[in-house]
Amino acid sequence: MLLASLNPAAVAAGADLADAVTIGGTTLSRSDLVGAATSVAERLGGARRVAVLATPTPATVLAVTGCLIAGVPFVPIPADVGVTERAHMLTDSGAQAWLGELPDDPGGLPHIPVRMHARSWHRYAEPSPSALAYIMYTSGTTGLPKGVQTTRAAVAADIDALAEAWQWNADDTLVHGLPLFHVHGLVLGLLGSLRIGNRFVHTGKPTPEAYAAAGGTLYFGVPTVWSRVVADPDAARALSSARLLVSGSAPLPVPVFDKLTELTGHAPVERYGSTESLITLSTRVDGERRPGWVGFPLRGVETRLVDDAGEPVPHDGETIGHLHVRAPMLFKGYLNRPEATAEVLGDDGWYRTGDVAVIDAEGMHRIVGRESVDLIKTGGFRVGAGEIETALLEHPGVREAAVVGMPDADLGQRIVAYVVGDASPEELIDYVGQQLSGHKRPREVRIVAELPRNAMGKVLKKELMTCP
Ligand code: MLC
Ligand code: AMP
């Protein structure tokens, strides 16, 4: 059973009174969750696919849980999604209704509300492990986001492998304040907790104070969260009573790793993965946690490192290669995009991650960076430069646009747009926010007379990235 802790028999046997999920100031017991989410499942009827506006609220938790009970794949939609991105996700996914929270503009889709106080004790047969759990949209270097199709078996395999590496268990209280429309917050944080049976606390905005006050044993954060925690030493020290601090979604800077270790007494565990592969590499509770390194393959995961010609590169801790992974937690391809799928997922099951890495003689992995400058990681969010450029070019005041990720001490990278045109930077930042999600807004727009281009007319992004 995917959500093993929601087994109705176990709930009936007395686990019902335990707090399961605290979110948006509300706590749901395991019995609340099973009863209300099963009632959601009943109201889903024969839906084939539904959209869930993934705000950090009890309604979202019940919507997602209800879908997993009923076996209806859901499409998590960013809480602050803009019009272009939303229209694409709804059309491409074929979602038939909004379940739970409703956006300002529902785009013509019907609404299935989540009733917090409804209860059903109907017992559903467990859907097939090979059935899709969800379709999650993620950015590529160009074009609109692609729908990553992930099975229930992949989710279960990933959570179980992480539980083994981190000794994650039902006595844990897992705390985070990350969005519920990505793998980190939703799949690991929420679904992980519902599988393992630990208490889950969502802090709202992941501030150092909120993390310090939450009293968790296991904390998840993106590097931006950890770098803000170490900038608040009192809050950081309050985490010394935790069991494990976990960082992922982007590289954890070594000085943040060191400072966190000094202030909390815990060397953070770092793990690596993606929307397509889920988490595949991690350091372990009972192993070395080396700053700047993301550890070993999780149970069931194979990795290989190849050069441009596809030949293996030595595992000497220095030679850089393209990282490929093969694992039971991999996705089943991009929805409606066979060519895009074939570019990254071979018939032999190997996924080309788009990351470059090194592996040392013991098998420890270090992620060196991305192959493409057009995939930006900002605050742990993956953003395609091409998607923002396309949005900008739709503004009447923009003639040319080039978007880059500039190094940023807080966000890892910050989105900077170079624009040839006559609109104001503020106007363009707002415009992108209306079309796409909030985290895709450029932090800065620089109006320039022309973009640097090579003889073929291609914009020289590396040159832009070195501009002060
Ligand atoms: C942001 N703001 C802007 C802006 N960008 N205002 C104008 N123009 C812009 N371009 C506003 C915000 O709305 C906010 O306002 C304020 O500025 C501060 O924004 P911020 O600096 O972005 O901080 P914050 O909102 O606190 O966000 C930081 C963060 C966030 C770390 C909380 O980036 C985050 O949640 N990241 C998690 C991403 C994640 O979960 N990734 C996982 C992907 S899965 P106001 O009014 O709201 O304060 C994956 C797989 C794996 O990668 O391996 O895990
Ligand atoms: P996403 O699809 O949003 O999950 O983004 C996946 C990408 O995030 C990966 O391909 C990496 O580039 C990056 N990433 C995730 N975890 C780490 C990590 N621990 N260190 C470095 N990069 C990471």
Side-chain angles (χ1 to χ4, degrees):
M1 189 173 169
L2 176 53
L3 303 182
S5 80
L6 300 188
N7 181 340
V11 170
D16 54 333
L17 295 179
D19 290 355
V21 171
T22 300
I23 190 163
T26 299
T27 295
L28 303 168
S29 70
R30 224 159 279 283
S31 159
D32 292 335
L33 251 177
V34 174
T38 308
S39 153
V40 170
E42 289 207 19
R43 259 168 312 114
L44 279 171
R48 207 173 66 85
R49 207 162 277 172
V50 295
V52 175
L53 188 72
T55 52
T57 55
T60 298
V61 171
L62 294 175
V64 162
T65 309
C67 286
L68 290 169
I69 291 173
V72 175
F74 60 91
V75 184
I77 307 283
D80 60 353
V81 70
V83 287
T84 307
E85 196 172 344
R86 187 186 55 210
H88 167 66
M89 289 175 177
L90 295 182
T91 316
D92 188 63
S93 68
Q96 296 160 306
W98 287 103
L99 176 64
E101 306 280 351
L102 200 56
D104 295 339
D105 170 12
L109 282 193
H111 179 215
I112 306 172
V114 160
R115 301 207 180 96
M116 290 290 295
H117 299 291
R119 296 287 181 271
S120 162
W121 306 106
H122 180 80
R123 294 206 184 174
Y124 280 81
E126 178 69 3
S128 160
S130 61
L132 292 188
Y134 58 79
I135 296 164
M136 188 178 283
Y137 280 81
T138 192
S139 295
T141 51
T142 57
L144 288 162
K146 299 187 283 280
V148 173
Q149 308 180 95
T150 299
T151 63
R152 302 170 69 97
V155 172
D158 205 42
I159 295 166
D160 292 351
L162 289 171
E164 182 190 70
W166 301 343
Q167 295 172 9
W168 180 0
N169 65 77
D171 293 331
D172 276 314
T173 295
L174 167 58
V175 175
H176 78 63
L178 302 170
L180 295 185
F181 45 85
H182 283 311
V183 163
H184 199 158
L186 177 68
V187 182
L188 310 189
L190 177 63
L191 304 188
S193 298
L194 298 183
R195 182 164 176 85
I196 305 282
N198 60 275
R199 203 171 147 238
F200 170 65
V201 176
H202 193 280
T203 58
K205 220 169 144 54
T207 59
E209 305 75 37
Y211 271 38
T217 60
L218 180 58
Y219 282 83
F220 290 176
V222 295
T224 302
V225 168
W226 295 123
S227 107
R228 292 178 186 182
V229 164
V230 298
D232 182 341
D234 287 339
R237 280 188 207 100
L239 302 182
S240 21
S241 56
R243 185 175 73 75
L244 204 62
L245 312 180
V246 182
S247 180
S249 305
L252 182 68
V254 170
V256 178
F257 181 108
D258 289 342
K259 196 82 191 150
L260 203 52
T261 310
E262 180 195 319
L263 289 168
T264 66
H266 299 290
V269 157
E270 188 165 3
R271 92 296 177 290
Y272 158 88
S274 69
T275 310
E276 289 87 342
S277 68
L278 301 183
I279 308 311
T280 51
L281 298 168
S282 183
T283 52
R284 301 178 62 91
V285 165
D286 54 3
E288 185 195 2
R289 305 179 205 169
R290 194 189 301 169
W293 294 69
V294 295
F296 296 92
L298 292 172
R299 188 174 64 201
V301 175
E302 299 166 80
T303 61
R304 70 182 185 196
L305 212 51
V306 299
D307 63 17
D308 290 343
E311 296 302 319
V313 307
H315 294 186
D316 57 9
E318 283 179 13
T319 311
I320 295 174
H322 304 276
L323 179 65
H324 298 178
V325 298
R326 184 159 67 178
M329 44 287 251
L330 293 195
F331 71 133
K332 285 284 165 232
Y334 299 114
L335 181 68
N336 305 327
R337 302 289 304 274
E339 297 86 16
T341 303
E343 272 172 34
V344 296
L345 193 58
D347 290 337
D348 53 3
W350 285 96
Y351 168 59
R352 295 183 274 280
T353 64
D355 291 307
V356 287
V358 300
I359 304 179
D360 76 4
E362 292 154 27
M364 177 79 105
H365 292 57
R366 180 164 75 82
I367 306 300
V368 176
R370 297 272 332 164
E371 285 164 14
S372 170
V373 292
D374 284 331
L375 262 195
I376 300 168
K377 266 269 157 159
T378 180
F381 286 112
R382 168 171 156 186
V383 178
E387 187 184 0
I388 306 176
E389 288 158 3
T390 304
L392 285 167
L393 286 166
E394 273 158 22
H395 188 283
V398 175
R399 288 193 292 283
E400 294 174 47
V403 168
V404 294
M406 298 286 237
D408 185 278
D410 180 44
L411 298 167
Q413 288 182 299
R414 71 176 190 285
I415 303 171
V416 176
Y418 287 83
V419 166
V420 180
D422 42 28
S424 76
E426 298 69 32
E427 192 183 341
L428 294 179
I429 290 169
D430 280 354
Y431 181 74
V432 174
Q434 285 157 24
Q435 303 304 316
L436 310 175
S437 308
H439 59 267
K440 296 183 177 174
R441 283 173 295 178
R443 298 272 158 170
E444 211 185 311
V445 172
R446 299 183 182 176
I447 307 289
V448 292
E450 59 180 341
L451 297 174
R453 292 181 186 271
N454 67 12
M456 310 290 289
K458 196 168 177 307
V459 177
L460 297 166
K461 291 211 170 171
K462 294 223 163 100
E463 206 163 286
L464 292 176
M465 288 165 75
T466 52
C467 290

